[in-house]
Amino acid sequence: MTDAIELPIAANSDVVLVRQRVRTSAQQVGLSLVDQTKVVTAASELARNTLVYAGGGRVRIEVVGNGARGGLRLTFADEGPGIPDLELALTDGWTTGGGLGLGLSGSRRLVDEFDLDSEPGKGTRVTVVKWAR
Amino acid sequence: MERVPILKLGDVLIVSIQIDLQDQGVLALQEDLADAVVESGARGVIIDISAVEIVDSFIGRMLATIASISRVLDAETIVVGMRPAVAITLVELGLSLGGVRTALNLEKGVALLEDRDNARAVAVPR
């Protein structure tokens, strides 16, 4: 079962659209209200990161399933400057953008699977999955 | 850009966020509220977020900043109506909203401000 859509993240209004689209998909997959709220919040953080740190990018929203249960996979990709030190970037409170430094580290806590792939000069890809319980 | 209306009731400003705000809208609210506190001489600010479906780190920081700004301007901020799912998510995200007073709903928020005013009247007899 795969059902995917892709959205651009090029402006602040796109961050709102990503939140709304992720909410709709999370409901479709049957996530509980708390889990919907968690994954939408994570999506908001990651979409804003894509915009602020890379100047924009895109997100792929996929409904996934492993037979037993459904889930939502979000892939945020950009061709921005990349992250030189992944471990540091995942530390609570560490920021280069003047924020609170909770975007990456906080989103990781809100989802079930979190994968960060980045290389300086080549861009960043963050993939998260939230499973229905 | 969408703007959130600021209502005045006595010496309290009341804001109810009913739309999914873009980041600029959040920043505009911060500035509008600071202006409104000074202009009206309000002693309290109540922000109702009962219609808000998520509070991410940006909105969370805005709430904390509004609380700090109003404190400097001699007004107390109370955030009311947070949904349970939002509270759970906020804490897991790592935001404790330290320095922001909360109340379960608008009525309790107003009562908190009144209690504070009464305490102030007792503490400073004329």
Side-chain angles (χ1 to χ4, degrees), chain A residues 12-13 15-16 19-20 23 33-34 36-38 40-41 44-45 48 92 98-100 102-103 105-107 109-110 130, chain B residues 2 20-24 53-61 83-96:
Chain A
N12 269 304
S13 52
V15 177
V16 175
R19 287 202 288 256
Q20 289 166 351
R23 166 79 64 178
L33 182 58
V34 170
Q36 285 174 33
T37 306
K38 285 182 182 178
V40 174
T41 305
S44 184
E45 298 291 343
R48 185 179 296 106
D92 268 354
L100 293 174
L102 289 175
S105 56
S107 326
R109 284 190 290 270
L110 295 176
K130 190 81 184 166
Chain B
E2 333 99 304
D20 195 346
L21 278 177
Q22 286 185 33
D23 290 358
Q24 292 104 323
E53 293 184 335
I54 67 143
V55 173
D56 62 11
S57 63
F58 194 85
I59 302 173
R61 180 167 60 154
R83 298 180 178 193
V86 170
I88 292 169
T89 302
L90 252 187
V91 171
E92 210 151 311
L93 182 65
L95 270 182
S96 55

Side-chain angles (χ1 to χ4, degrees), chain A residues 1-2 5 12 18 20 28 30 32 35 42-43 45 53 58 61 63 74 83 86 90 99 107 115 127 131:
Chain A
M1 174 175 76
T2 304
I5 54 163
N12 269 304
V18 169
Q20 289 166 351
Q28 272 170 13
S32 70
D35 284 342
E45 298 291 343
Y53 295 98
R58 63 201 174 280
I61 304 170
V63 172
L74 310 175
I83 304 171
L86 296 183
L90 281 165
S107 326
D115 185 57
T127 310
W131 293 106

Side-chain angles (χ1 to χ4, degrees), chain A residues 48-125:
Chain A
R48 185 179 296 106
N49 274 0
T50 301
L51 190 63
V52 171
Y53 295 98
R58 63 201 174 280
V59 60
R60 187 176 162 83
I61 304 170
E62 289 169 278
V63 172
V64 292
N66 62 3
R69 54 184 183 169
L72 198 61
R73 182 196 290 138
L74 310 175
T75 309
F76 294 83
D78 66 63
E79 275 89 49
I83 304 171
D85 188 337
L86 296 183
E87 206 175 314
L88 190 59
L90 281 165
T91 309
D92 268 354
W94 189 84
T95 180
T96 57
L100 293 174
L102 289 175
L104 277 178
S105 56
S107 326
R108 178 157 71 164
R109 284 190 290 270
L110 295 176
V111 295
D112 297 317
E113 293 172 29
F114 183 96
D115 185 57
L116 174 59
D117 186 19
S118 183
E119 222 179 296
K122 289 195 174 163
T124 300
R125 176 185 297 264

